[in-house]
Amino acid sequence: MTVNSVKRVFRLLNAGILALILAVIGINGYYVIEEQEQAVVITLGQASVVESPGIHFKFPFIQEVYKISMAARGLNIGYDNSNVSVSSESLMITSDYNFVNVDFFLEYKVSNPERYLFASNEPEAIFRNMALSYIRDTIGLHEVDEVITTGKSEIQAEIREKLSNRLEMDDIGIQLINITIQDSEPPTEIVKDAFKNVETARQGKETRINEARKYESEQLPAARAQVDAIQKEAETQKQVRINEALAQVAVFNAMYEEYRKHPVMTRQRMFYEAMEEILPELRIVIDNGDGTTSRVLPLESFVRE
C-alpha cells in the first residue's frame, strides 16, 4: 500500500469519525418539552429548571436532562386500581374504639421538579406514607358515626390541612390538590345495615325539616300580609272613631258656648229638639174609666191642625 493510499484511508476514517460525532451531537443535542412538562437540566452538577414547552438545545455528554410531568396525578388508599379493597390500608379504628373500612382518593402534582428529583429517593412513596399516617391519625380522633355519616367533610378538611402543612415543611416537591373519602362502612354486614338505617332516618329527618321550612316560607308571607291588612283596618277604624269623637266634642263645645250666651233659649231649643225626636214614636193609651176597654191612639191625631 502506497503512502497516498494510507493517507486516503486516514482521511476517510477521520471523515467517518467526524460524521459520527456530528450525528451523535445532532441526536443528543436537543430535547423537547411537552405541555404540562418541565425539565431539570444538570450541567456539571448544577441543576436548573426549564419550564417553557418546545425544542431546547443542550451540550451532549455535558448536560443531562430529566423531564417531569406537571399534570395532576391520583393516589388510591384503601383499594387498588382494580377497585379491590386493601384491608391493610382501609381498616382503621375510631375514637370510640370501633373498626371501620375507609377508602380515600388523593389528587396531587409535582410542585418543584428539582426538589422532586433530588430532595428524596422516592418522593411518591414518602407522600403515600405521610397520607396514610395522617388519615389514620384523623380517623382515630372521630367517632364511627361521624366517619360513616355526618363528619366526612370535616375529616377530609382536617387531613388536607395536616398533609399540606407537612408537605410544605418537608419540601419534597409534591403538592396536595384534594382528598376525598370514596367510601366508608363498618366491617360487618350487620353493623353496616344498622348504619344504613341510621343514615336513612337522618335523611328522612332532613327531608321533613326542609318540607317544614318550605311550608313556613309559603305561609309566612300570606300571614304577614293578613296581619298588615288587619293592622291597617284597625288604624283606619281608630282614625274614624277619633274623628267622630272630635266632631262630637266640637258640637258639644259649640252648644256649650251657645248655652253660656243664652242659657234659657238654649234649654228651650234643646227641649223642643228632644221632643221632635221622641213624640213621633210616642203612643197614648186612653182608659174609659171602668177598666174594661181602652184605645191606643197616635199622638198625631191630637196635635194635627
PDB file of all heavy atoms in Angstrom, residues 227-262:
ATOM      1  N   VAL A 227    -101.837  40.064  58.526  1.00  0.00           N
ATOM      2  CA  VAL A 227    -101.588  40.891  59.716  1.00  0.00           C
ATOM      3  C   VAL A 227    -101.506  42.366  59.330  1.00  0.00           C
ATOM      4  O   VAL A 227    -102.069  43.236  60.004  1.00  0.00           O
ATOM      5  CB  VAL A 227    -100.293  40.432  60.413  1.00  0.00           C
ATOM      6  CG1 VAL A 227     -99.871  41.435  61.478  1.00  0.00           C
ATOM      7  CG2 VAL A 227    -100.484  39.062  61.040  1.00  0.00           C
ATOM      8  N   ASP A 228    -100.816  42.655  58.238  1.00  0.00           N
ATOM      9  CA  ASP A 228    -100.704  44.044  57.785  1.00  0.00           C
ATOM     10  C   ASP A 228    -102.070  44.620  57.444  1.00  0.00           C
ATOM     11  O   ASP A 228    -102.374  45.785  57.778  1.00  0.00           O
ATOM     12  CB  ASP A 228     -99.788  44.120  56.559  1.00  0.00           C
ATOM     13  CG  ASP A 228     -98.339  43.844  56.925  1.00  0.00           C
ATOM     14  OD1 ASP A 228     -97.993  43.974  58.114  1.00  0.00           O
ATOM     15  OD2 ASP A 228     -97.564  43.503  56.014  1.00  0.00           O
ATOM     16  N   ALA A 229    -102.924  43.798  56.772  1.00  0.00           N
ATOM     17  CA  ALA A 229    -104.257  44.270  56.411  1.00  0.00           C
ATOM     18  C   ALA A 229    -105.092  44.559  57.654  1.00  0.00           C
ATOM     19  O   ALA A 229    -105.801  45.571  57.732  1.00  0.00           O
ATOM     20  CB  ALA A 229    -104.956  43.235  55.522  1.00  0.00           C
ATOM     21  N   ILE A 230    -105.006  43.657  58.650  1.00  0.00           N
ATOM     22  CA  ILE A 230    -105.764  43.854  59.886  1.00  0.00           C
ATOM     23  C   ILE A 230    -105.273  45.103  60.617  1.00  0.00           C
ATOM     24  O   ILE A 230    -106.069  45.903  61.127  1.00  0.00           O
ATOM     25  CB  ILE A 230    -105.633  42.612  60.785  1.00  0.00           C
ATOM     26  CG1 ILE A 230    -106.339  41.417  60.134  1.00  0.00           C
ATOM     27  CG2 ILE A 230    -106.211  42.879  62.169  1.00  0.00           C
ATOM     28  CD1 ILE A 230    -106.123  40.108  60.863  1.00  0.00           C
ATOM     29  N   GLN A 231    -103.963  45.284  60.664  1.00  0.00           N
ATOM     30  CA  GLN A 231    -103.414  46.467  61.327  1.00  0.00           C
ATOM     31  C   GLN A 231    -103.841  47.750  60.620  1.00  0.00           C
ATOM     32  O   GLN A 231    -104.196  48.740  61.272  1.00  0.00           O
ATOM     33  CB  GLN A 231    -101.890  46.360  61.369  1.00  0.00           C
ATOM     34  CG  GLN A 231    -101.378  45.316  62.354  1.00  0.00           C
ATOM     35  CD  GLN A 231     -99.880  45.213  62.350  1.00  0.00           C
ATOM     36  OE1 GLN A 231     -99.213  45.650  61.407  1.00  0.00           O
ATOM     37  NE2 GLN A 231     -99.314  44.633  63.403  1.00  0.00           N
ATOM     38  N   LYS A 232    -103.820  47.719  59.284  1.00  0.00           N
ATOM     39  CA  LYS A 232    -104.243  48.908  58.538  1.00  0.00           C
ATOM     40  C   LYS A 232    -105.727  49.199  58.762  1.00  0.00           C
ATOM     41  O   LYS A 232    -106.133  50.357  58.921  1.00  0.00           O
ATOM     42  CB  LYS A 232    -103.961  48.713  57.052  1.00  0.00           C
ATOM     43  CG  LYS A 232    -102.471  48.729  56.715  1.00  0.00           C
ATOM     44  CD  LYS A 232    -102.240  48.491  55.230  1.00  0.00           C
ATOM     45  CE  LYS A 232    -100.748  48.503  54.914  1.00  0.00           C
ATOM     46  NZ  LYS A 232    -100.487  48.215  53.485  1.00  0.00           N
ATOM     47  N   GLU A 233    -106.578  48.121  58.779  1.00  0.00           N
ATOM     48  CA  GLU A 233    -108.003  48.306  59.037  1.00  0.00           C
ATOM     49  C   GLU A 233    -108.230  48.860  60.443  1.00  0.00           C
ATOM     50  O   GLU A 233    -109.077  49.746  60.646  1.00  0.00           O
ATOM     51  CB  GLU A 233    -108.721  46.971  58.858  1.00  0.00           C
ATOM     52  CG  GLU A 233    -110.226  47.026  59.110  1.00  0.00           C
ATOM     53  CD  GLU A 233    -110.964  47.887  58.106  1.00  0.00           C
ATOM     54  OE1 GLU A 233    -110.417  48.131  57.002  1.00  0.00           O
ATOM     55  OE2 GLU A 233    -112.084  48.340  58.419  1.00  0.00           O
ATOM     56  N   ALA A 234    -107.455  48.329  61.392  1.00  0.00           N
ATOM     57  CA  ALA A 234    -107.592  48.832  62.764  1.00  0.00           C
ATOM     58  C   ALA A 234    -107.190  50.298  62.857  1.00  0.00           C
ATOM     59  O   ALA A 234    -107.855  51.101  63.542  1.00  0.00           O
ATOM     60  CB  ALA A 234    -106.746  47.981  63.707  1.00  0.00           C
ATOM     61  N   GLU A 235    -106.116  50.658  62.177  1.00  0.00           N
ATOM     62  CA  GLU A 235    -105.684  52.052  62.178  1.00  0.00           C
ATOM     63  C   GLU A 235    -106.749  52.942  61.542  1.00  0.00           C
ATOM     64  O   GLU A 235    -107.021  54.054  62.019  1.00  0.00           O
ATOM     65  CB  GLU A 235    -104.362  52.193  61.422  1.00  0.00           C
ATOM     66  CG  GLU A 235    -103.161  51.591  62.146  1.00  0.00           C
ATOM     67  CD  GLU A 235    -102.845  52.351  63.416  1.00  0.00           C
ATOM     68  OE1 GLU A 235    -103.122  53.569  63.465  1.00  0.00           O
ATOM     69  OE2 GLU A 235    -102.334  51.734  64.369  1.00  0.00           O
ATOM     70  N   THR A 236    -107.377  52.444  60.468  1.00  0.00           N
ATOM     71  CA  THR A 236    -108.438  53.224  59.805  1.00  0.00           C
ATOM     72  C   THR A 236    -109.624  53.423  60.736  1.00  0.00           C
ATOM     73  O   THR A 236    -110.160  54.546  60.875  1.00  0.00           O
ATOM     74  CB  THR A 236    -108.881  52.507  58.518  1.00  0.00           C
ATOM     75  OG1 THR A 236    -107.751  52.353  57.661  1.00  0.00           O
ATOM     76  CG2 THR A 236    -109.961  53.301  57.807  1.00  0.00           C
ATOM     77  N   GLN A 237    -110.084  52.317  61.378  1.00  0.00           N
ATOM     78  CA  GLN A 237    -111.206  52.418  62.304  1.00  0.00           C
ATOM     79  C   GLN A 237    -110.873  53.332  63.484  1.00  0.00           C
ATOM     80  O   GLN A 237    -111.727  54.109  63.948  1.00  0.00           O
ATOM     81  CB  GLN A 237    -111.572  51.013  62.816  1.00  0.00           C
ATOM     82  CG  GLN A 237    -112.166  50.114  61.759  1.00  0.00           C
ATOM     83  CD  GLN A 237    -113.505  50.641  61.249  1.00  0.00           C
ATOM     84  OE1 GLN A 237    -114.273  51.277  61.997  1.00  0.00           O
ATOM     85  NE2 GLN A 237    -113.776  50.407  59.968  1.00  0.00           N
ATOM     86  N   LYS A 238    -109.640  53.228  63.948  1.00  0.00           N
ATOM     87  CA  LYS A 238    -109.208  54.090  65.044  1.00  0.00           C
ATOM     88  C   LYS A 238    -109.318  55.559  64.643  1.00  0.00           C
ATOM     89  O   LYS A 238    -109.848  56.400  65.396  1.00  0.00           O
ATOM     90  CB  LYS A 238    -107.772  53.734  65.421  1.00  0.00           C
ATOM     91  CG  LYS A 238    -107.117  54.696  66.399  1.00  0.00           C
ATOM     92  CD  LYS A 238    -105.663  54.318  66.616  1.00  0.00           C
ATOM     93  CE  LYS A 238    -104.952  55.355  67.462  1.00  0.00           C
ATOM     94  NZ  LYS A 238    -103.517  55.031  67.628  1.00  0.00           N
ATOM     95  N   GLN A 239    -108.857  55.876  63.436  1.00  0.00           N
ATOM     96  CA  GLN A 239    -108.899  57.262  62.975  1.00  0.00           C
ATOM     97  C   GLN A 239    -110.328  57.745  62.790  1.00  0.00           C
ATOM     98  O   GLN A 239    -110.662  58.893  63.094  1.00  0.00           O
ATOM     99  CB  GLN A 239    -108.110  57.396  61.665  1.00  0.00           C
ATOM    100  CG  GLN A 239    -107.763  58.824  61.307  1.00  0.00           C
ATOM    101  CD  GLN A 239    -106.910  59.513  62.357  1.00  0.00           C
ATOM    102  OE1 GLN A 239    -105.976  58.892  62.876  1.00  0.00           O
ATOM    103  NE2 GLN A 239    -107.233  60.750  62.698  1.00  0.00           N
ATOM    104  N   VAL A 240    -111.212  56.818  62.284  1.00  0.00           N
ATOM    105  CA  VAL A 240    -112.619  57.188  62.107  1.00  0.00           C
ATOM    106  C   VAL A 240    -113.250  57.514  63.452  1.00  0.00           C
ATOM    107  O   VAL A 240    -113.962  58.528  63.601  1.00  0.00           O
ATOM    108  CB  VAL A 240    -113.382  56.049  61.398  1.00  0.00           C
ATOM    109  CG1 VAL A 240    -114.893  56.297  61.458  1.00  0.00           C
ATOM    110  CG2 VAL A 240    -112.916  55.938  59.956  1.00  0.00           C
ATOM    111  N   ARG A 241    -112.988  56.635  64.436  1.00  0.00           N
ATOM    112  CA  ARG A 241    -113.570  56.881  65.770  1.00  0.00           C
ATOM    113  C   ARG A 241    -113.032  58.171  66.386  1.00  0.00           C
ATOM    114  O   ARG A 241    -113.775  58.923  67.027  1.00  0.00           O
ATOM    115  CB  ARG A 241    -113.238  55.697  66.681  1.00  0.00           C
ATOM    116  CG  ARG A 241    -113.848  54.375  66.225  1.00  0.00           C
ATOM    117  CD  ARG A 241    -115.375  54.386  66.301  1.00  0.00           C
ATOM    118  NE  ARG A 241    -115.948  53.171  65.806  1.00  0.00           N
ATOM    119  CZ  ARG A 241    -116.092  52.060  66.524  1.00  0.00           C
ATOM    120  NH1 ARG A 241    -115.686  52.045  67.775  1.00  0.00           N
ATOM    121  NH2 ARG A 241    -116.640  50.993  66.001  1.00  0.00           N
ATOM    122  N   ILE A 242    -111.766  58.403  66.198  1.00  0.00           N
ATOM    123  CA  ILE A 242    -111.184  59.645  66.727  1.00  0.00           C
ATOM    124  C   ILE A 242    -111.819  60.857  66.068  1.00  0.00           C
ATOM    125  O   ILE A 242    -112.174  61.852  66.743  1.00  0.00           O
ATOM    126  CB  ILE A 242    -109.651  59.646  66.516  1.00  0.00           C
ATOM    127  CG1 ILE A 242    -108.999  58.597  67.430  1.00  0.00           C
ATOM    128  CG2 ILE A 242    -109.065  61.021  66.798  1.00  0.00           C
ATOM    129  CD1 ILE A 242    -107.514  58.427  67.194  1.00  0.00           C
ATOM    130  N   ASN A 243    -111.996  60.784  64.742  1.00  0.00           N
ATOM    131  CA  ASN A 243    -112.619  61.913  64.025  1.00  0.00           C
ATOM    132  C   ASN A 243    -114.054  62.136  64.478  1.00  0.00           C
ATOM    133  O   ASN A 243    -114.510  63.277  64.651  1.00  0.00           O
ATOM    134  CB  ASN A 243    -112.552  61.667  62.528  1.00  0.00           C
ATOM    135  CG  ASN A 243    -111.127  61.687  61.991  1.00  0.00           C
ATOM    136  OD1 ASN A 243    -110.243  62.275  62.611  1.00  0.00           O
ATOM    137  ND2 ASN A 243    -110.906  61.053  60.866  1.00  0.00           N
ATOM    138  N   GLU A 244    -114.816  61.006  64.659  1.00  0.00           N
ATOM    139  CA  GLU A 244    -116.199  61.141  65.135  1.00  0.00           C
ATOM    140  C   GLU A 244    -116.237  61.763  66.527  1.00  0.00           C
ATOM    141  O   GLU A 244    -117.072  62.640  66.813  1.00  0.00           O
ATOM    142  CB  GLU A 244    -116.872  59.773  65.148  1.00  0.00           C
ATOM    143  CG  GLU A 244    -117.149  59.211  63.762  1.00  0.00           C
ATOM    144  CD  GLU A 244    -117.758  57.813  63.830  1.00  0.00           C
ATOM    145  OE1 GLU A 244    -117.793  57.247  64.955  1.00  0.00           O
ATOM    146  OE2 GLU A 244    -118.169  57.298  62.781  1.00  0.00           O
ATOM    147  N   ALA A 245    -115.319  61.291  67.400  1.00  0.00           N
ATOM    148  CA  ALA A 245    -115.291  61.841  68.751  1.00  0.00           C
ATOM    149  C   ALA A 245    -114.926  63.321  68.744  1.00  0.00           C
ATOM    150  O   ALA A 245    -115.534  64.137  69.476  1.00  0.00           O
ATOM    151  CB  ALA A 245    -114.290  61.059  69.602  1.00  0.00           C
ATOM    152  N   LEU A 246    -113.967  63.676  67.880  1.00  0.00           N
ATOM    153  CA  LEU A 246    -113.592  65.089  67.792  1.00  0.00           C
ATOM    154  C   LEU A 246    -114.755  65.928  67.268  1.00  0.00           C
ATOM    155  O   LEU A 246    -114.976  67.069  67.742  1.00  0.00           O
ATOM    156  CB  LEU A 246    -112.372  65.233  66.870  1.00  0.00           C
ATOM    157  CG  LEU A 246    -111.058  64.653  67.419  1.00  0.00           C
ATOM    158  CD1 LEU A 246    -109.961  64.755  66.361  1.00  0.00           C
ATOM    159  CD2 LEU A 246    -110.628  65.379  68.691  1.00  0.00           C
ATOM    160  N   ALA A 247    -115.517  65.365  66.314  1.00  0.00           N
ATOM    161  CA  ALA A 247    -116.678  66.111  65.793  1.00  0.00           C
ATOM    162  C   ALA A 247    -117.734  66.304  66.872  1.00  0.00           C
ATOM    163  O   ALA A 247    -118.316  67.391  67.013  1.00  0.00           O
ATOM    164  CB  ALA A 247    -117.262  65.366  64.587  1.00  0.00           C
ATOM    165  N   GLN A 248    -117.984  65.234  67.660  1.00  0.00           N
ATOM    166  CA  GLN A 248    -118.962  65.344  68.740  1.00  0.00           C
ATOM    167  C   GLN A 248    -118.500  66.346  69.796  1.00  0.00           C
ATOM    168  O   GLN A 248    -119.308  67.116  70.342  1.00  0.00           O
ATOM    169  CB  GLN A 248    -119.193  63.969  69.363  1.00  0.00           C
ATOM    170  CG  GLN A 248    -119.897  62.992  68.429  1.00  0.00           C
ATOM    171  CD  GLN A 248    -120.030  61.620  69.050  1.00  0.00           C
ATOM    172  OE1 GLN A 248    -119.602  61.402  70.189  1.00  0.00           O
ATOM    173  NE2 GLN A 248    -120.615  60.693  68.304  1.00  0.00           N
ATOM    174  N   VAL A 249    -117.209  66.309  70.091  1.00  0.00           N
ATOM    175  CA  VAL A 249    -116.667  67.283  71.054  1.00  0.00           C
ATOM    176  C   VAL A 249    -116.843  68.707  70.520  1.00  0.00           C
ATOM    177  O   VAL A 249    -117.210  69.632  71.269  1.00  0.00           O
ATOM    178  CB  VAL A 249    -115.182  66.984  71.341  1.00  0.00           C
ATOM    179  CG1 VAL A 249    -114.542  68.133  72.105  1.00  0.00           C
ATOM    180  CG2 VAL A 249    -115.054  65.688  72.123  1.00  0.00           C
ATOM    181  N   ALA A 250    -116.604  68.882  69.226  1.00  0.00           N
ATOM    182  CA  ALA A 250    -116.758  70.209  68.633  1.00  0.00           C
ATOM    183  C   ALA A 250    -118.211  70.679  68.713  1.00  0.00           C
ATOM    184  O   ALA A 250    -118.502  71.853  69.028  1.00  0.00           O
ATOM    185  CB  ALA A 250    -116.277  70.193  67.179  1.00  0.00           C
ATOM    186  N   VAL A 251    -119.172  69.749  68.417  1.00  0.00           N
ATOM    187  CA  VAL A 251    -120.603  70.099  68.511  1.00  0.00           C
ATOM    188  C   VAL A 251    -120.968  70.455  69.952  1.00  0.00           C
ATOM    189  O   VAL A 251    -121.670  71.449  70.213  1.00  0.00           O
ATOM    190  CB  VAL A 251    -121.464  68.931  67.988  1.00  0.00           C
ATOM    191  CG1 VAL A 251    -122.941  69.193  68.287  1.00  0.00           C
ATOM    192  CG2 VAL A 251    -121.250  68.743  66.507  1.00  0.00           C
ATOM    193  N   PHE A 252    -120.478  69.625  70.886  1.00  0.00           N
ATOM    194  CA  PHE A 252    -120.787  69.892  72.289  1.00  0.00           C
ATOM    195  C   PHE A 252    -120.222  71.243  72.725  1.00  0.00           C
ATOM    196  O   PHE A 252    -120.902  72.012  73.424  1.00  0.00           O
ATOM    197  CB  PHE A 252    -120.223  68.765  73.156  1.00  0.00           C
ATOM    198  CG  PHE A 252    -120.475  68.961  74.617  1.00  0.00           C
ATOM    199  CD1 PHE A 252    -121.703  68.631  75.189  1.00  0.00           C
ATOM    200  CD2 PHE A 252    -119.494  69.505  75.440  1.00  0.00           C
ATOM    201  CE1 PHE A 252    -121.932  68.836  76.537  1.00  0.00           C
ATOM    202  CE2 PHE A 252    -119.712  69.699  76.786  1.00  0.00           C
ATOM    203  CZ  PHE A 252    -120.943  69.364  77.347  1.00  0.00           C
ATOM    204  N   ASN A 253    -118.963  71.499  72.320  1.00  0.00           N
ATOM    205  CA  ASN A 253    -118.361  72.781  72.695  1.00  0.00           C
ATOM    206  C   ASN A 253    -119.132  73.953  72.097  1.00  0.00           C
ATOM    207  O   ASN A 253    -119.319  75.004  72.754  1.00  0.00           O
ATOM    208  CB  ASN A 253    -116.906  72.823  72.238  1.00  0.00           C
ATOM    209  CG  ASN A 253    -116.017  71.891  73.068  1.00  0.00           C
ATOM    210  OD1 ASN A 253    -116.347  71.585  74.220  1.00  0.00           O
ATOM    211  ND2 ASN A 253    -114.911  71.435  72.482  1.00  0.00           N
ATOM    212  N   ALA A 254    -119.601  73.778  70.853  1.00  0.00           N
ATOM    213  CA  ALA A 254    -120.382  74.856  70.222  1.00  0.00           C
ATOM    214  C   ALA A 254    -121.698  75.075  70.969  1.00  0.00           C
ATOM    215  O   ALA A 254    -122.120  76.220  71.219  1.00  0.00           O
ATOM    216  CB  ALA A 254    -120.634  74.513  68.761  1.00  0.00           C
ATOM    217  N   MET A 255    -122.370  73.974  71.343  1.00  0.00           N
ATOM    218  CA  MET A 255    -123.624  74.086  72.093  1.00  0.00           C
ATOM    219  C   MET A 255    -123.381  74.727  73.460  1.00  0.00           C
ATOM    220  O   MET A 255    -124.192  75.514  73.946  1.00  0.00           O
ATOM    221  CB  MET A 255    -124.255  72.706  72.261  1.00  0.00           C
ATOM    222  CG  MET A 255    -124.755  72.096  70.943  1.00  0.00           C
ATOM    223  SD  MET A 255    -125.367  70.416  71.167  1.00  0.00           S
ATOM    224  CE  MET A 255    -126.711  70.718  72.294  1.00  0.00           C
ATOM    225  N   TYR A 256    -122.248  74.337  74.080  1.00  0.00           N
ATOM    226  CA  TYR A 256    -121.951  74.904  75.394  1.00  0.00           C
ATOM    227  C   TYR A 256    -121.714  76.407  75.305  1.00  0.00           C
ATOM    228  O   TYR A 256    -122.151  77.168  76.191  1.00  0.00           O
ATOM    229  CB  TYR A 256    -120.724  74.198  75.983  1.00  0.00           C
ATOM    230  CG  TYR A 256    -120.339  74.722  77.345  1.00  0.00           C
ATOM    231  CD1 TYR A 256    -121.145  74.490  78.467  1.00  0.00           C
ATOM    232  CD2 TYR A 256    -119.164  75.471  77.512  1.00  0.00           C
ATOM    233  CE1 TYR A 256    -120.783  74.985  79.702  1.00  0.00           C
ATOM    234  CE2 TYR A 256    -118.802  75.953  78.746  1.00  0.00           C
ATOM    235  CZ  TYR A 256    -119.620  75.714  79.855  1.00  0.00           C
ATOM    236  OH  TYR A 256    -119.277  76.215  81.090  1.00  0.00           O
ATOM    237  N   GLU A 257    -121.029  76.828  74.230  1.00  0.00           N
ATOM    238  CA  GLU A 257    -120.817  78.263  74.048  1.00  0.00           C
ATOM    239  C   GLU A 257    -122.150  78.986  73.872  1.00  0.00           C
ATOM    240  O   GLU A 257    -122.369  80.075  74.432  1.00  0.00           O
ATOM    241  CB  GLU A 257    -119.896  78.504  72.840  1.00  0.00           C
ATOM    242  CG  GLU A 257    -118.448  78.097  73.072  1.00  0.00           C
ATOM    243  CD  GLU A 257    -117.802  78.932  74.171  1.00  0.00           C
ATOM    244  OE1 GLU A 257    -118.141  80.126  74.295  1.00  0.00           O
ATOM    245  OE2 GLU A 257    -116.972  78.360  74.922  1.00  0.00           O
ATOM    246  N   GLU A 258    -123.064  78.385  73.107  1.00  0.00           N
ATOM    247  CA  GLU A 258    -124.392  78.987  72.937  1.00  0.00           C
ATOM    248  C   GLU A 258    -125.149  79.030  74.258  1.00  0.00           C
ATOM    249  O   GLU A 258    -125.864  79.990  74.569  1.00  0.00           O
ATOM    250  CB  GLU A 258    -125.193  78.206  71.893  1.00  0.00           C
ATOM    251  CG  GLU A 258    -124.687  78.366  70.469  1.00  0.00           C
ATOM    252  CD  GLU A 258    -124.834  79.793  69.989  1.00  0.00           C
ATOM    253  OE1 GLU A 258    -125.838  80.447  70.362  1.00  0.00           O
ATOM    254  OE2 GLU A 258    -123.927  80.272  69.281  1.00  0.00           O
ATOM    255  N   TYR A 259    -125.002  77.934  75.030  1.00  0.00           N
ATOM    256  CA  TYR A 259    -125.686  77.886  76.321  1.00  0.00           C
ATOM    257  C   TYR A 259    -125.179  78.979  77.260  1.00  0.00           C
ATOM    258  O   TYR A 259    -125.958  79.603  77.995  1.00  0.00           O
ATOM    259  CB  TYR A 259    -125.483  76.510  76.936  1.00  0.00           C
ATOM    260  CG  TYR A 259    -126.089  76.381  78.312  1.00  0.00           C
ATOM    261  CD1 TYR A 259    -127.464  76.165  78.472  1.00  0.00           C
ATOM    262  CD2 TYR A 259    -125.292  76.480  79.468  1.00  0.00           C
ATOM    263  CE1 TYR A 259    -128.023  76.054  79.737  1.00  0.00           C
ATOM    264  CE2 TYR A 259    -125.838  76.370  80.723  1.00  0.00           C
ATOM    265  CZ  TYR A 259    -127.210  76.155  80.851  1.00  0.00           C
ATOM    266  OH  TYR A 259    -127.770  76.060  82.108  1.00  0.00           O
ATOM    267  N   ARG A 260    -123.874  79.203  77.242  1.00  0.00           N
ATOM    268  CA  ARG A 260    -123.315  80.246  78.100  1.00  0.00           C
ATOM    269  C   ARG A 260    -123.843  81.617  77.711  1.00  0.00           C
ATOM    270  O   ARG A 260    -124.079  82.473  78.567  1.00  0.00           O
ATOM    271  CB  ARG A 260    -121.784  80.240  78.005  1.00  0.00           C
ATOM    272  CG  ARG A 260    -121.144  79.032  78.685  1.00  0.00           C
ATOM    273  CD  ARG A 260    -119.636  79.062  78.558  1.00  0.00           C
ATOM    274  NE  ARG A 260    -119.110  80.298  79.114  1.00  0.00           N
ATOM    275  CZ  ARG A 260    -117.863  80.747  78.957  1.00  0.00           C
ATOM    276  NH1 ARG A 260    -117.027  80.033  78.236  1.00  0.00           N
ATOM    277  NH2 ARG A 260    -117.463  81.876  79.504  1.00  0.00           N
ATOM    278  N   LYS A 261    -124.027  81.811  76.419  1.00  0.00           N
ATOM    279  CA  LYS A 261    -124.512  83.124  75.977  1.00  0.00           C
ATOM    280  C   LYS A 261    -126.014  83.277  76.229  1.00  0.00           C
ATOM    281  O   LYS A 261    -126.469  84.324  76.677  1.00  0.00           O
ATOM    282  CB  LYS A 261    -124.214  83.299  74.496  1.00  0.00           C
ATOM    283  CG  LYS A 261    -122.720  83.337  74.165  1.00  0.00           C
ATOM    284  CD  LYS A 261    -122.515  83.444  72.662  1.00  0.00           C
ATOM    285  CE  LYS A 261    -121.034  83.433  72.316  1.00  0.00           C
ATOM    286  NZ  LYS A 261    -120.819  83.486  70.854  1.00  0.00           N
ATOM    287  N   HIS A 262    -126.809  82.220  75.897  1.00  0.00           N
ATOM    288  CA  HIS A 262    -128.282  82.302  76.033  1.00  0.00           C
ATOM    289  C   HIS A 262    -128.761  81.031  76.698  1.00  0.00           C
ATOM    290  O   HIS A 262    -129.290  80.124  76.046  1.00  0.00           O
ATOM    291  CB  HIS A 262    -128.942  82.475  74.667  1.00  0.00           C
ATOM    292  CG  HIS A 262    -128.340  83.586  73.845  1.00  0.00           C
ATOM    293  ND1 HIS A 262    -128.560  84.916  74.118  1.00  0.00           N
ATOM    294  CD2 HIS A 262    -127.479  83.541  72.779  1.00  0.00           C
ATOM    295  CE1 HIS A 262    -127.902  85.653  73.247  1.00  0.00           C
ATOM    296  NE2 HIS A 262    -127.224  84.825  72.420  1.00  0.00           N
TER     297      HIS A 262
END
